[in-house]
C-alpha cells in the first residue's frame, strides 16, 4: 500500500514531479474503500495531493508573472498545464464524483459538497486542453501589457511608473503624460483584439462541450456561484445606477471645483476613474519603507495580523517593486504545502500602493486562517467573501496609518487618505457595474461580441451610462478600448461583481468598527476562519454584515 506520509513536504523535492509520480497516489484514492470509518484519512490524503499540485501551480504562476519575458519560466508553466494540470483535474473530478456518490457527508462539508456537485455537473474531459490553452492566452495578455513602456524625460518608464506623473498638480503635465500612455496602449490594440477573438472562440467551445446554453451559464457553475443568479447581478447594476451613480457624479463635480475646471477630463483622474487628490502627501520612499510601515500599521491593528505580515516579510513572500516585463496588477496567492501566502504587486511610490498592500495583505491573513482547516475542499470561500477580507482590512487599518503608529501620515494627512479612500469606493461601484454589465452582454451575445469593434461600442455605451461625470470628447479610441485595460475581462471572466458585493460587506464591517472596534475585529476574524464551510450569506453574517 502506498504511504502518503512519505510524500515530500518540501517544494524543492516535488516541483519537477511528472504525472507518473502523482498518478499512483490518485489511483489509490480512487480504488481503496470509502466509508465513515476511513473518510477522514481519505480526505487528508486527497488534501496532500491537492496541496502539492496547487503549490506547483502557484509557484510557476509567480515565476511567469514576475517576468513575462522569461522563456524558461514560460516553458515550465506551459509544461505544467499540458502534463499535470489536465490530468490532475480529471483525477480530482473522479474523486469528487466518488465522494458525492458515496452519500457520505463529513462534518463541515455541506457547502464544499454543493460546490463539488456544480463542478462535476459541467466537467468534460474534452475541455481540459481548452482550460490549459485559456491560461496560456492569459499569459500572452500579461506579456503584451507587461511590456508597455514609454520614454518620459529621457527615461524608460512602465505605464505603472508613469502614474506618478499623473499625480502631479500641473494639469498640462498630467495631460501630456496621459496622452503618452494612451498612445502606447493603442499601439497594442490589434494584438489585444486578435487575442480577444481567440478567447471568445475558446470559451464558446468550453460552454458547448459542457452542454451549457452559453458561456455565462458555464462560468456560473465553474465559479460555484450558488447564492445568487445572473438576474441578481443585473438588479445590482440597476441599483448602482440609481444610488451610486448620482453620488459618484457629485464626487466628480466636487473634484472639478477643487481643480477649478468646468469638466473633468481623464488626466484629472487616476486609472481613468478616481479623482486625483490635490497635493497628495508623500506616502513612502522605497518599497522597503512601504513594507516596514505597513507592518507597523498591522501590528497596531491586531497583534496576530502583525505577526502574519512579519512572517511573510521574513520568508521573502512580498514581491512589491514594479519592473519592465512584470505582469500588471496585484494579487495574493498561497503555497499550501509551506502554508505561506505570497503577495505580488507593482509599487511605484503612490498612496494607492499603500491601499494595495493593505488589500492584498487582507487576502494573505485570510489564507493564514483558512490553512487551519484540515481539508483543502473546506478552504475555498467564494470570491465574494475573499474580497470582503481584503477590503475590510483596508478600512480597518485606516486608524493606524499615522506616523505616531509607525505608519505613513500625519493625522490631517491620514484623514485625507481616508476621505480619498471613501471617494474611491463611491466612484468604484459604477465602474464595477460597467465591467459586470459588459461581460453579461458579451457572454449572452457571443457571436456579436466576438467582434472587438462591437465590444468597443458596447463598452463606450455602458461607460456613458454609468460614468457620466467625466468628459472623454475627442478621445474616442481610448474611451472605447477601456475594456482592453481591465485584465479581469481577459484573464478572469465574470470575476468583478465580487468587488462590488464585497465592498458593501466591507463598509458594514468598517461601520461596526466605528461603534465597537474590538467586537468588529473579532467578528471579522471569526468569519475568516470559516474558509469555505459556510454559505455566502452566513459568511457575511458572521462578519457582522449582510
Amino acid at each position: 500500500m502506498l504511504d502518503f506520509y512519505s510524500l515530500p513536504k518540501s517544494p524543492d523535492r516535488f516541483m519537477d514531479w511528472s504525472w507518473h509520480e502523482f498518478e499512483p497516489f490518485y489511483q489509490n484514492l480512487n480504488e481503496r474503500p470509502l466509508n465513515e470509518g476511513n473518510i477522514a484519512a481519505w480526505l487528508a490524503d486527497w488534501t496532500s495531493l491537492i496541496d502539492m499540485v496547487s503549490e506547483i501551480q502557484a509557484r510557476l504562476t509567480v515565476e511567469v508573472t514576475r517576468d513575462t519575458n522569461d522563456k524558461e519560466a514560460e516553458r515550465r508553466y506551459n509544461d505544467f498545464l499540458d502534463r499535470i494540470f489536465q490530468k490532475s483535474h480529471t483525477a480530482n473530478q473522479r474523486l469528487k464524483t466518488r465522494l458525492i456518490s458515496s452519500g457520505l457527508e463529513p462534518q463541515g462539508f455541506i457547502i464544499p459538497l454543493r460546490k463539488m456537485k456544480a463542478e462535476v455537473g459541467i466537467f468534460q474531459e474534452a475541455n481540459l486542453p481548452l482550460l490549459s490553452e485559456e491560461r496560456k492566452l492569459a499569459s500572452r495578455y500579461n506579456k503584451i501589457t507587461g511590456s508597455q513602456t514609454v520614454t518620459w524625460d529621457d527615461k524608460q518608464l512602465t505605464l505603472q511608473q508613469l502614474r506618478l506623473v499623473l499625480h502631479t498638480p500641473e494639469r498640462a503635465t498630467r495631460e501630456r503624460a496621459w496622452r503618452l500612455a494612451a498612445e502606447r496602449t493603442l499601439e497594442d490594440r490589434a494584438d489585444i483584439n486578435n487575442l480577444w477573438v481567440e478567447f471568445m472562440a475558446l470559451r464558446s467551445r468550453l460552454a458547448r462541450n459542457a452542454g451549457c446554453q452559453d458561456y455565462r451559464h458555464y462560468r456560473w457553475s465553474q465559479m460555484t456561484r450558488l447564492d445568487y443568479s445572473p438576474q441578481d447581478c443585473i438588479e445590482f447594476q440597476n441599483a448602482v445606477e440609481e444610488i451610486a451613480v448620482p453620488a459618484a457624479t457629485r464626487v466628480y463635480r466636487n473634484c472639478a471645483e477643487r481643480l477649478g475646471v468646468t469638466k473633468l477630463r481623464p488626466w484629472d483622474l487616476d486609472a481613468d476613474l478616481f479623482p486625483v487628490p490635490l497635493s497628495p502627501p508623500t506616502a513612502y520612499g522605497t518599497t522597503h519603507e512601504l513594507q516596514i510601515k505597513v507592518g507597523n500599521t498591522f501590528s497596531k491593528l491586531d497583534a496576530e495580523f502583525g505577526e502574519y505580515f512579519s512572517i511573510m516579510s521574513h520568508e521573502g513572500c512580498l514581491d512589491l517593486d514594479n519592473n519592465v516585463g512584470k505582469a500588471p496588477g496585484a494579487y495574493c496567492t498561497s503555497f499550501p504545502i509551506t502554508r505561506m501566502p505570497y503577495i505580488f504587486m507593482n509599487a511605484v511610490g503612490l498612496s494607492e500602493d499603500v491601499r494595495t498592500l493593505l488589500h492584498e495583505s487582507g487576502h494573505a491573513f485570510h489564507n493564514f486562517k483558512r490553512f487551519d482547516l484540515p481539508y483543502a475542499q473546506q478552504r475555498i470561500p467564494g470570491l465574494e467573501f475573499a474580497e470582503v477580507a481584503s477590503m475590510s482590512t483596508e478600512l480597518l487599518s485606516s486608524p493606524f496609518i499615522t506616523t505616531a503608529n509607525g505608519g505613513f501620515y500625519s493625522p490631517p494627512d491620514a484623514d485625507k487618505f481616508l476621505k480619498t479612500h471613501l471617494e474611491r469606493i463611491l466612484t468604484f461601484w459604477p465602474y464595477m457595474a460597467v465591467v459586470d454589465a459588459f461581460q453579461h452582454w458579451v457572454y449572452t451575445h457571443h457571436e456579436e461580441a466576438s467582434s472587438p469593434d462591437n465590444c468597443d461600442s458596447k463598452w463606450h455605451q455602458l461607460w456613458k451610462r454609468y460614468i457620466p461625470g467625466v468628459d472623454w470628447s475627442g478621445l474616442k479610441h481610448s474611451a472605447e478600448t477601456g475594456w482592453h485595460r481591465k485584465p479581469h475581462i481577459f484573464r478572469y471572466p465574470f470575476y468583478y461583481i465580487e468587488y462590488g458585493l464585497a465592498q458593501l460587506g466591507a463598509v458594514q464591517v468598517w461601520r461596526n468598527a466605528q461603534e465597537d472596534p474590538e467586537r468588529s475585529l473579532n467578528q471579522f476574524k471569526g468569519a475568516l476562519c470559516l474558509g469555505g464551510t459556510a454559505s455566502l450569506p452566513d459568511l457575511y453574517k458572521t462578519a457582522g454584515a449582510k
Side-chain angles (χ1 to χ4, degrees), residues 77-87 89 126-139 202 206:
Y77 178 73
N78 289 343
D79 187 67
F80 167 81
L81 292 177
D82 292 337
R83 298 179 182 273
I84 294 181
F85 169 78
Q86 296 182 40
K87 290 182 172 65
H89 201 82
N127 274 342
L128 295 178
L130 300 179
L131 292 171
S132 292
E133 183 61 27
E134 186 178 33
R135 285 163 172 78
K136 294 175 186 177
L137 292 178
S139 291
L202 184 148
L206 284 170

Side-chain angles (χ1 to χ4, degrees), residues 158-260:
T158 66
L159 298 192
Q160 180 73 2
Q161 291 164 344
L162 189 65
R163 287 178 66 196
L164 279 170
V165 182
L166 291 165
H167 282 245
T168 188
E170 292 79 24
R171 196 183 195 209
T173 302
R174 292 201 307 271
E175 179 178 355
R176 186 163 62 92
W178 186 92
R179 289 184 181 275
L180 183 63
E183 290 170 4
R184 177 61 189 87
T185 56
L186 286 171
E187 288 177 15
D188 291 324
R189 184 176 188 175
D191 287 341
I192 292 178
N193 281 343
N194 291 336
L195 196 60
W196 178 252
V197 173
E198 292 185 58
F199 269 119
M200 291 297 286
L202 184 148
R203 287 168 180 162
S204 177
R205 292 172 62 193
L206 284 170
R208 186 168 58 251
N209 288 347
C212 297
Q213 64 190 43
D214 53 40
Y215 181 77
R216 182 175 70 174
H217 181 261
Y218 171 83
R219 186 66 171 148
W220 226 259
S221 294
Q222 188 187 34
M223 299 179 78
T224 62
R225 288 182 169 176
L226 305 176
D227 296 303
Y228 60 99
S229 68
Q231 183 58 39
D232 291 326
C233 294
I234 292 169
E235 291 178 8
F236 188 31
Q237 296 163 16
N238 293 336
V240 167
E241 183 173 24
E242 179 183 354
I243 304 298
V245 169
T249 301
R250 289 195 296 272
V251 170
Y252 288 135
R253 188 182 304 123
N254 291 339
C255 177
E257 290 177 0
R258 291 197 301 269
L259 292 172

Side-chain angles (χ1 to χ4, degrees), residues 25-32 42 45-46 49 98:
F25 291 95
Y26 273 103
Q27 187 173 347
N28 175 276
L29 289 173
N30 202 43
E31 293 177 352
R32 77 195 207 199
W42 188 84
D45 290 344
W46 186 11
L49 296 179
R98 188 166 187 227

